């Protein structure tokens, strides 16, 4: 899916928001935004009064002798989705958008966010808050320098700034006679008090062995072996991302929306395993599964989540070297480890290992995609019958596809909020329908469905775009060019260890040819019952090189503002390619098994190679999904699948290319017959 | 050309040496390398005895209280080619390869270089020197830490370390209790003494107005206007790269091999222009051309080259902000400017402006390519007659093509050392023939010619690969796949401001498809009588985004170790593309006008679109070069050109794709006739 763009962490959201090229926010009527220039100001009912909480926050700031306090939009683990108790920026400002930083001084308060959220912010914030239509630390620091006096202190919660973000603030403030001050007690939390939602506390459970690629003991040994081989000989690996700890121990919970994680850190040393989490959440079975009653190198000692900083600091007193992935480590951990005891990489060895699925993990992920295809096909068959009746809307549609997924074996809910968008809504980067606000599906409009599921064996993510009536020639052309892009990238053969960014333009070439393009990335990694946007695999500049065993989405699109949106997204496994001459080459094997919309394909734009690829893919869909539909007596769906995967044949191209094909064929015949 | 890879500066050479994937060095017989493990050591006659100069250098180091001294391979301006008086590393070590860093301690001496030079180093260095087969600062610092005592000082000439290189040494040494010490007097120069070749001193001349895109006054005003618009309001721009000063003032000389530059710096402030160079080299006409007798904002004050550091330091005392391009500024300048008075970008505004040619510069560069094509075609025609006689060798061939270029109007010599490589030599990344060591050209082998000229109106660079006999099926296939890569990238339509790295894989796809590839970059910018590798335009990761008016080479290749090498290189102008739907799109217009070798093209591999492109290109060659050949009565060459640009027609493809084409055509006919 292309919504909260590519990655399990908010900084990626920011990055991708820019890539969308500032699409217009959903226009839900301009009268419902605040107007702070009238006297008294006009405030719509959607606005939250923040005067009391701001006053209380400023009292806390005064106690700490701060001139300003930064309130980021992230949590302590760079999660893509954050829990309610971590929504400090939303609570203090009223503005609930997923991206945006707030800064409070003794006199002013301001929010910086990107274009997706400008209208929403004007609708939710009262006049205590300035809205700055910019992102990044530079504009914030520029503003701070004019707002706070020389010698002033800027406070922040070190668990809410990544190392990079902290460095960027620090660099910008250097030589300015203003100082960054790390305060481990979050000041917003102090003000929020008992109103703050509780931290999740459901039991943490272990995956059944059938759903894991390796035991946690095997994974621990693997990481230790990487530590030993590392030239800087780290004595420990520190894991800060929740997916790292979840993956390492094959444990799951549901602390985070759409992500089956639990709040935790892991310090894996050469002689011990220390898991920081809420101990009361582990049953005796899980404690025994983790060998938590012993203290040897293969025993998991559970320590309290809140102890992580002190424990790391204490460990760092020894003759140790702690290996971290800087992308997911917060300044609050980083600042307690002496620099000479740090071994840094962009991503931790767990992040790098997890990116390459072993054969069992591959089989699991593929199996989840077959069942996921059944759910999506059930929905498409249902839509085909019901859309013409005019009884389906985007929201009820989204609910239905979520329900169909929920009925699949091993289902554990959607992997992100379903994007169900009809007509012009599909052109919005950031659209999901609500019960109150949605659009009816119609045979006169295109419909875009971007959705996925969490299953015990795998996470899925697929986008299909459909038209049940008569699409315009332009819609068919745009759709077909998007499809060509999907095919051209999917069938590309490229050298092992090529970076995604080197090849993602193959998904765009057919669009570029006609002067069309899309403003988002081309794909992202995906996990085994982990993140739907699993970093660091993908096609962006900060993704790592492609390797056999990785899974990535491939999802070109095209968006016509105010009219329609197209995206065709599949998940693909990186596999070895057989080339004519020997070499280490890779290609993709698509594991999403839902046919494209024949009604929208202009066959005359496809080359013989595209047709051949497409028909082979359709044959694979039949082989994978057909038996599953039959086994489950979904005969109507089976019939639909057969119809929609009939081999496509070349049709009359437009006159010009037809003429050129005739010329070439004739010439070929003439020369051949000589 | 792809030899001393892509860029006017040695750090790029290093970068690209890695990209070649460690090709084997030219094997000229293993017995001629040193053997330091025998007693006495075996030293071939090619070795230089460095004992005396090393002893003298160590005395200088002792005087400065240094434990080690770094001797880089660059000069003070990051020139791609360096003058003899700057070849300090070659003089002190004996090793003359263009890339390699030397470090001397009180007891040891060592050189670090890449695989291209390992054999050469063993042939030229005596046993005073260790050879380290690595590159980059990390292995050097690792070695230093074991070789010099704690508290030791590591000396370096601050004009021979770029800011980046200095930072990399500094970072690696941090916390190690060893200190970097900047010493402005070069210690090797002190030892070299009167033997050191003199600094070039030929007159500096101005380009005639006919050969310049703008006057220097217009260029100065343009840069000042950029200073005013810059949000950090710099008061001055400092130019360190020789090409920047040469471009700004439309001045040239011949201090550097192949590059028409002179040793200089420019400090362009909001109210003055200060040109640092050897004043005696300016004639009274040039002084008058530069308005050097006044002191106003449009008067060029000439100051002595050696004064630049002191002058910048003095200027930096004021309320100023100095704008530099960090890529071309050495630490010796950087360290005298207080950090808060620096405005840094990767490239200076002159570098960025120069990258986009105005319409006059475009016309000039194109005109030089037409004459250059005449010289290359004359050579190809001559080869076609003489190679079968067995009288041509790589070196005499190179001399002849250089001579033909020299006979063209406005010629100012070759733009780099001609790569004239027959058979297996063409597979070597770093090959140029010598009078003593070369290979005969033969109808049984492929021949690769990569060469270019400096003309007053433009710099050229073109590579063609030829076979005069019967190439193997594999040679034809590889050649055709390289050609397809060249065509696919040349005809690509892409959005304005796309980075070259995003699209360079289009030049590789046809090779990848068959399991083939090449280990070098795909292209580089080129100047108007400036660098043949003009940074920052090109297809590498540190090149800037493509814009209308840039020129770049496009040069895929394929190299079969020990057998043959193929490269097809053209220079192309970035132009606006007309797309079906409106948008800001770009494509390439090829301005190299020499046909490819028909003997090596397997037409059955080309699509109708490739054939159409190729035939249109051949038509353009006829239109551009034909009249020029006729005008100059080069009738044999004209006839050759007509033959070699006959339109190519589709030939019988292999059975499989032929069958599929028949099927598609038949299907199309059937469906069309329905």
């Amino acid at each position: 899916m292309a919504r909260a763009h590519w990655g399990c962490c908010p900084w990626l959201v920011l990055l991708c928001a820019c890539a969308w090229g500032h699409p217009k926010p959903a226009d839900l009527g301009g009268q419902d935004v605040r107007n702070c220039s009238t006297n008294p100001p006009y405030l719509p009912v959607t606005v939250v009064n923040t005067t009391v909480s701001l006053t209380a926050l400023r009292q806390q700031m005064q106690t700490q002798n701060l001139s300003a306090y930064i309130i980021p939009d992230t949590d302590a683990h760079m999660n893509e989705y954050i829990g309610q108790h971590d929504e400090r920026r939303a609570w203090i400002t009223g503005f609930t958008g997923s991206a945006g930083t707030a800064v409070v001084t003794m006199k002013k308060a301001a929010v910086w966010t990107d274009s997706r959220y400008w209208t929403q912010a004007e609708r939710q914030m009262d006049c205590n808050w300035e809205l700055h239509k910019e992102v990044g630390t530079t504009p914030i620091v520029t503003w701070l320098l004019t707002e706070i006096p020389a010698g002033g202190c800027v406070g922040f919660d070190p668990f809410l700034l990544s190392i990079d973000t902290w460095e960027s603030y620090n660099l910008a403030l250097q030589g300015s006679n203003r100082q960054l001050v790390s305060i481990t007690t979050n000041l917003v939390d102090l003000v929020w008090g008992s109103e703050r939602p509780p931290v999740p506390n459901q039991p943490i459970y272990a995956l059944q062995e059938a759903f894991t690629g390796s035991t946690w003991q095997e994974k621990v040994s693997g990481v230790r072996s990487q530590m030993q081989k590392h030239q800087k000989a780290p004595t420990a690996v520190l894991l800060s991302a929740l997916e790292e700890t979840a993956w390492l121990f094959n444990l799951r919970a549901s602390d985070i929306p759409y992500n089956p994680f639990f709040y935790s850190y892991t310090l894996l040393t050469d002689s011990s395993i220390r898991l920081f989490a809420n101990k009361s959440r582990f049953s005796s079975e899980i404690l025994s599964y983790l060998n938590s009653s012993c203290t040897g190198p293969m025993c998991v000692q559970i320590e309290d989540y809140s102890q992580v900083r002190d424990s790391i600091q204490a460990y760092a007193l020894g003759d140790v070297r702690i290996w971290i992935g800087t992308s997911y480590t917060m300044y609050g951990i980083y600042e307690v480890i002496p620099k000479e005891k740090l071994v840094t990489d962009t991503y931790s060895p767990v992040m790098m290992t997890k990116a390459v699925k072993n054969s069992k993990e591959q089989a699991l992920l593929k199996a989840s995609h077959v069942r996921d295809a059944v759910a999506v096909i059930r929905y498409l068959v249902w839509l085909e019958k019901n859309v013409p009746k005019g009884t389906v809307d985007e929201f009820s549609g989204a609910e239905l596809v979520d329900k169909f997924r929920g009925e699949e074996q091993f289902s554990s809910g959607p992997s992100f909020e379903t994007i169900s968008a009809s007509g012009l809504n599909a052109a919005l980067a950031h659209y999901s329908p609500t019960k109150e606000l949605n659009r009816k599906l119609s045979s006169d409009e295109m419909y875009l469905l971007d959705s996925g599921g969490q299953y015990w064996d795998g996470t899925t993510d697929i986008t299909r775009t459909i038209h049940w009536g008569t699409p315009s020639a332009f819609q068919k052309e745009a759709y077909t060019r998007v499809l060509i892009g999907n095919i051209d990238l999917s069938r590309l053969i490229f050298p092992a260890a090529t970076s995604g960014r080197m090849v993602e333009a193959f998904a765009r070439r057919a669009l570029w040819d006609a002067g069309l393009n899309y403003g988002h990335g081309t794909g992202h990694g995906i996990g085994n019952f982990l993140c739907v946007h699993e970093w660091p695999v993908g096609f962006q500049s900060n993704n790592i090189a492609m390797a056999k065993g990785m899974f990535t989405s491939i999802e070109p699109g095209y968006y016509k503002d105010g009219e329609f949106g197209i995206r065709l997204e599949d998940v693909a496994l990186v596999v070895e390619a057989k080339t004519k001459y020997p070499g280490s080459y890779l290609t993709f094997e698509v594991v999403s098994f839902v046919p494209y919309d024949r009604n929208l394909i202009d066959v005359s734009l496809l080359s013989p190679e595209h047709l051949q690829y497409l028909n082979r893919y359709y044959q694979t869909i039949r082989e994978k999904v057909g038996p599953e539909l039959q086994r489950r007596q979904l005969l109507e769906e089976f019939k639909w699948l057969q119809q929609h995967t009939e081999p496509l044949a070349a049709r009359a191209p437009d006159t010009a290319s037809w003429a050129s094909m005739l010329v070439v064929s004739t010439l070929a015949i003439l020369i051949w017959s000589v």
Side-chain angles (χ1 to χ4, degrees), chain A:
Chain A
M1 70 113 156
R3 189 179 134 261
H5 285 261
W6 326 145
C8 287
C9 33
W11 57 271
L12 297 171
V13 177
L14 279 186
L15 185 149
C16 302
C18 307
W20 269 99
H22 299 294
K24 289 174 201 154
D27 188 6
L28 309 169
Q31 75 281 18
D32 269 347
V33 300
R34 66 180 186 176
N35 184 350
C36 300
S37 61
T38 57
N39 193 352
Y42 170 71
L43 297 176
V45 290
T46 45
V47 150
V48 176
N49 185 334
T50 62
T51 304
V52 174
S53 43
L54 262 178
T55 306
L57 177 62
R58 287 189 175 119
Q59 277 166 0
Q60 293 293 343
M61 287 165 58
Q62 213 149 21
T63 313
Q64 301 280 349
N65 199 22
L66 298 179
S67 300
Y69 189 65
I70 303 171
I71 305 143
D73 51 17
T74 186
D75 67 8
H77 304 276
M78 306 283 282
N79 281 308
E80 179 172 13
Y81 308 103
I82 66 173
Q84 287 187 330
H85 64 287
D86 278 328
E87 291 192 341
R88 300 174 179 94
R89 204 271 347 276
W91 181 77
I92 194 79
T93 65
F95 161 58
T96 60
S98 70
T101 300
V103 179
V104 175
T105 67
M106 296 317 282
K107 287 182 186 156
K108 288 191 179 172
V111 164
W112 284 257
T113 189
D114 68 81
S115 60
R116 295 175 298 170
Y117 296 108
W118 295 341
T119 303
Q120 183 179 344
E122 299 277 17
R123 204 174 278 139
Q124 299 182 316
M125 298 196 306
D126 67 14
C127 292
N128 286 311
W129 295 89
E130 295 176 5
L131 172 63
H132 291 265
K133 299 180 173 181
E134 291 169 301
V135 290
T137 52
T138 309
I140 295 178
V141 171
T142 306
W143 181 84
L144 273 173
L145 292 183
T146 63
E147 293 300 331
I148 65 169
C153 289
V154 180
F156 68 97
D157 178 341
F159 278 92
L160 298 183
L161 288 193
S162 70
I163 301 173
D164 279 354
T165 309
W166 176 83
E167 276 176 353
S168 146
Y169 277 114
N170 191 46
L171 193 72
L173 284 169
Q174 243 169 29
S176 73
N177 196 15
R178 274 87 168 174
Q179 208 190 327
L180 273 177
V181 180
S182 164
I183 299 168
T184 50
T185 304
N186 190 289
L187 304 192
V188 174
D189 291 354
L190 292 181
V191 178
W192 209 348
S194 60
E195 272 184 60
R196 188 178 171 217
V199 177
N201 206 16
Q202 304 96 318
I204 293 163
Y205 60 94
L207 283 176
Q208 295 167 40
E209 207 193 312
F211 301 115
T212 62
S214 323
T215 64
W216 70 256
Q217 288 88 344
E218 287 164 342
K219 291 177 177 177
V220 162
S221 301
V223 176
R224 283 196 178 131
S225 144
Q226 289 185 59
M227 287 160 58
Q228 278 158 12
K229 283 179 199 146
H230 196 293
Q231 61 166 357
K232 291 190 181 159
T235 60
V237 168
L238 173 71
L239 306 177
S240 290
L242 301 190
E243 56 183 313
E244 293 176 312
T245 291
W247 176 87
L248 184 67
F249 298 109
N250 296 321
L251 293 177
R252 299 290 188 275
S254 53
D255 297 7
I256 304 292
Y258 307 116
N259 291 153
F261 306 149
F262 54 98
Y263 291 100
S264 54
Y265 294 90
T266 299
L267 182 71
L268 172 59
T269 81
D270 42 15
S271 59
S272 68
I273 310 168
R274 296 159 75 173
L275 168 54
F276 298 87
N278 182 343
K279 196 163 179 171
S280 71
R281 300 177 64 185
F282 296 86
S283 67
S284 56
E285 287 77 19
I286 298 294
L287 290 174
S288 144
Y289 160 84
L290 290 172
N291 289 342
S292 73
S293 56
C294 52
T295 53
M298 291 309 269
C299 307
V300 182
Q301 297 160 248
I302 316 278
E303 300 189 28
D304 197 69
Y305 178 79
S306 64
Q307 289 304 306
V308 66
R309 185 175 149 112
D310 292 345
S311 289
I312 300 289
Q313 194 161 21
Y315 178 76
L317 291 175
D319 178 21
V320 298
R321 283 162 306 283
I322 305 174
W323 192 3
I324 61 166
T326 51
S327 288
Y328 285 87
T329 309
M330 301 315 251
Y331 184 71
I333 296 286
Y334 178 79
E335 68 174 335
V336 300
I337 308 174
K339 233 180 159 184
E340 67 276 13
K341 297 189 176 181
L342 269 175
V343 176
T344 58
D345 275 308
T346 309
Y347 303 106
S348 78
V350 162
M351 218 65 170
M352 297 297 283
T353 306
K354 182 165 60 63
V356 176
K357 273 68 175 166
N358 67 25
S359 56
K360 187 175 170 199
E361 289 163 336
Q362 291 174 25
L364 288 166
L365 244 171
K366 286 182 185 180
S368 71
H369 277 79
V370 173
R371 295 196 312 282
D372 195 69
V374 171
V376 175
I377 288 169
R378 285 180 67 194
Y379 179 55
L380 294 180
V381 171
W382 184 89
L383 285 177
E384 207 168 285
K385 287 187 294 185
N386 290 281
V387 168
K389 299 180 193 160
T391 54
V392 191
D393 67 52
E394 294 166 334
F395 187 74
S396 65
E399 282 189 321
L400 188 65
V401 74
D402 291 352
K403 176 175 168 290
F404 284 153
R405 274 206 174 83
E407 290 167 11
E408 290 300 316
Q409 208 178 9
F410 313 138
S411 169
S412 186
S415 58
F416 57 95
E417 188 178 1
T418 294
I419 298 173
S420 164
S422 188
L424 78 176
N425 286 341
L428 298 171
H430 187 61
Y431 182 80
S432 281
T434 61
K435 191 162 188 171
E436 297 72 32
L437 210 64
N438 57 63
R439 188 176 179 89
K440 199 158 271 184
L441 271 59
S442 147
S443 298
D444 300 328
E445 288 192 335
M446 290 173 88
Y447 172 65
L448 185 153
L449 175 76
D450 185 351
S451 61
Q454 289 288 11
Y455 305 92
W456 295 345
D457 44 357
T459 307
T460 68
D461 184 4
I462 183 170
T463 309
R464 288 294 179 266
T465 307
I466 306 120
H467 197 303
W468 295 278
T470 309
S472 71
F474 179 58
Q475 286 173 329
K476 287 184 74 169
E477 177 180 355
Y479 183 94
T480 309
R481 290 185 183 276
V482 171
L483 177 60
I484 293 174
N486 183 308
I487 294 175
D488 280 348
L489 184 53
S490 299
R491 72 192 188 100
L492 186 75
I493 292 168
F494 53 93
T498 298
S499 292
R501 63 179 171 279
M502 289 279 297
V503 298
E504 73 111 43
F506 286 93
R508 301 179 187 269
R509 192 201 48 83
L511 287 161
W512 287 354
D513 247 7
L516 310 176
N517 200 2
Y518 55 94
H520 56 74
T522 296
H524 54 80
I526 193 162
N528 280 82
F529 192 27
L530 290 164
C531 277
V532 71
H533 294 151
E534 188 174 87
W535 218 248
V537 172
F539 294 97
Q540 299 211 100
S541 59
N542 47 356
N543 288 133
I544 58 173
M546 292 287 174
K548 185 183 149 187
M550 290 177 171
F551 281 80
T552 178
S553 75
I554 292 179
E555 47 180 310
Y558 173 73
Y559 308 89
K560 176 79 178 161
D561 262 4
E563 297 189 19
F564 63 88
I566 298 164
R567 187 161 59 253
L568 295 177
E569 174 186 26
D570 296 299
V571 170
L573 167 63
V574 181
V575 295
E576 275 176 8
K578 305 265 171 291
T579 50
K580 182 172 174 184
Y581 302 104
S584 187
Y585 284 79
L586 302 172
T587 189
F588 298 105
E589 176 191 328
V590 173
V591 303
S592 299
F593 300 118
V594 178
Y596 308 110
D597 187 0
R598 301 171 85 81
N599 193 26
L600 279 163
I601 300 177
D602 178 352
V603 181
S604 73
L605 291 172
L606 301 178
S607 71
E609 290 78 14
H610 293 137
L611 279 172
Q612 194 181 24
Y613 172 91
L614 202 53
N615 289 335
R616 210 183 309 130
Y617 172 55
Y618 278 8
Q619 184 57 34
T620 308
I621 295 180
R622 286 184 171 186
E623 289 163 10
K624 299 277 181 187
V625 186
E628 183 72 14
L629 294 173
Q630 285 181 306
R631 190 179 66 79
R632 286 158 61 179
Q633 300 284 314
L634 294 167
L635 300 184
E636 192 181 356
E637 284 76 6
F638 180 76
K639 196 177 149 205
W640 181 95
L641 184 70
Q642 295 300 109
Q643 282 170 355
H644 283 75
T645 51
E646 274 295 313
L648 288 155
R651 271 207 301 252
D654 67 61
T655 332
S657 54
W658 175 242
S660 87
M661 186 190 274
L662 258 188
V663 169
V664 171
S665 308
T666 314
L667 271 172
I669 291 165
L670 289 175
I671 295 168
W672 198 41
S673 53
V674 171

